[in-house]
Amino acid sequence: MSRVWLVTGANSGFGRAITEAAVAEGDVVVATARRVGTLDEVVAAHGGKVEALPLDVTDTAAAHDVVRQVVDRHGRIDVLVNNAGRTHVGAVEETTDAELRSLFDVHLFAPATLTRAVLPHMRARRSGAVVQLSSMGGQLSFAGFGAYSATKFALEGMSEALADEVRPLGIKVLIVEPGSFRTGLFGNKSESGEITGAADYADTVGATRRMVASGDGSQPGDPAKAAAAILAALNADDTPLRLALGDDAIDAVLGHLDTVRADIIAWEKIGRDTRLTWSRRQGRPAHIRDAPAVSRTSRTTGTS
């Protein structure tokens, strides 16, 4: 039976590529974008298989309304793809609270809203999948991408917990971690203003600014191949929690994991020696020794 997909940010990049890959498998896609007119081309190319709905993912009421419309029309949502997003460049010192909150609205709160909206329907059917478009920046970060990575780290942390919660209910969670792909991400960016003394960041954040400014349109990754990999992972009996895409993402994430492991091992003895120790002669530690006595009955039954 064909699946019903709900894809955010479906007008370009990964959203459009995933939409086209799903349609090629015989599925139906409800494609959303802030400006619904930007979906005209993809709708026309796949008559009857792609439906367009306007959605600003940061509008909580609109997100719930879109889910209701899709369920009313199709009876279910089999796959939710939280894809809408943008990049942001700026040193941590340069990034304002407003910029940071705006980015969290798009990359964390919006996926959380849509996920909560679809889960009751998926739980009722004991099937479904939630695809979270993260980034290699959801596993590691570097100068200039602190705000962006903060949102993706948060998305991945929430999604790990979500996967544990819904796996017994027959629902899959797939976190996608692309590297540099030929999408409009670098063109759809916000940027913090440079602060007084910005020359101090010229060699670090400055390099990232230049990379983003010059990199749009020259990224090595193919979104169509990424979409095919995502569908392959979803269709697998043992869908992974994470799917890194692109040589740069795989190399960077593996290198980062090696660095994390090396740090932990180097400081393992000191880290383990932080446990509380006490002897019978010394008596129990003060915070335990001075605690109110609790009877065996109250510990086991809640009575005193």
Side-chain angles (χ1 to χ4, degrees):
M1 185 173 66
S2 64
R3 292 173 291 191
V4 178
W5 296 61
L6 175 58
V7 180
T8 67
N11 53 317
S12 64
F14 290 122
R16 177 156 182 171
I18 292 168
T19 295
E20 292 175 339
V23 169
E25 285 206 350
D27 294 341
V28 172
V29 177
V30 178
T32 74
R34 282 187 303 152
R35 297 180 298 277
V36 73
T38 61
L39 295 165
D40 289 348
E41 185 179 341
V42 68
V43 170
H46 304 286
K49 286 290 187 179
V50 178
E51 301 173 16
L53 287 176
L55 176 61
D56 176 348
V57 294
T58 64
D59 184 335
T60 300
H64 281 277
D65 185 56
V66 162
V67 169
R68 281 193 295 270
Q69 289 185 59
V70 177
V71 173
D72 287 347
R73 182 173 177 84
H74 297 281
R76 66 189 191 281
I77 295 172
D78 296 296
V79 186
L80 167 66
V81 181
N82 284 311
N83 167 71
R86 57 181 169 83
T87 197
H88 182 89
V89 182
V92 171
E93 186 180 356
E94 295 167 336
T95 305
T96 67
D97 286 348
E99 289 169 336
L100 192 58
R101 288 191 176 97
S102 175
L103 208 61
F104 268 96
D105 279 343
V106 175
H107 290 163
L108 179 67
F109 290 106
T113 295
L114 282 162
T115 299
R116 286 194 301 267
V118 303
L119 280 178
H121 306 287
M122 291 182 176
R123 284 192 293 105
R125 299 181 62 247
R126 287 299 194 264
S127 70
V130 177
V131 180
Q132 310 282 39
L133 259 293
S134 181
S135 164
M136 59 183 276
Q139 284 285 310
L140 58 105
S141 193
F142 52 90
F145 275 155
Y148 178 83
S149 287
T151 65
K152 295 300 188 178
F153 271 52
L155 177 67
E156 295 208 12
M158 181 184 73
S159 300
E160 277 197 26
L162 174 67
D164 275 352
E165 293 160 1
V166 301
R167 188 180 298 110
L169 307 177
I171 301 168
K172 297 181 176 183
V173 176
L174 175 64
I175 302 168
V176 182
E177 298 171 339
S180 185
F181 276 75
R182 196 71 60 88
T183 70
L185 184 66
F186 284 176
N188 181 26
K189 72 177 187 297
S190 55
E191 193 166 348
S192 296
E194 296 185 45
I195 60 169
T196 301
D200 289 339
Y201 296 123
D203 294 335
T204 53
V205 180
T208 301
R209 291 184 192 275
R210 292 189 292 274
M211 181 269 290
V212 171
S214 63
D216 191 27
S218 62
Q219 302 96 323
D222 182 347
K225 290 181 179 179
I230 291 168
L231 263 70
L234 286 176
N235 292 338
D237 291 335
D238 188 14
T239 296
L241 175 60
R242 285 182 169 85
L243 178 66
L245 297 174
D247 290 337
D248 54 345
I250 292 171
D251 290 343
V253 171
L254 290 177
H256 176 69
L257 293 174
D258 287 343
T259 300
V260 171
R261 182 178 180 85
D263 280 347
I264 292 173
I265 290 174
W267 288 83
E268 181 178 7
K269 184 179 186 305
I270 288 176
R272 291 188 185 279
D273 282 349
T274 56
R275 63 188 176 275
L276 189 66
T277 57
W278 57 280
S279 68
R280 288 184 178 275
R281 186 170 62 183
Q282 293 170 321
R284 295 191 176 193
H287 75 281
I288 297 176
R289 186 175 62 244
D290 299 338
V294 180
S295 71
R296 180 181 299 273
T297 302
S298 64
R299 286 198 301 268
T300 58
T301 67
T303 62
S304 57

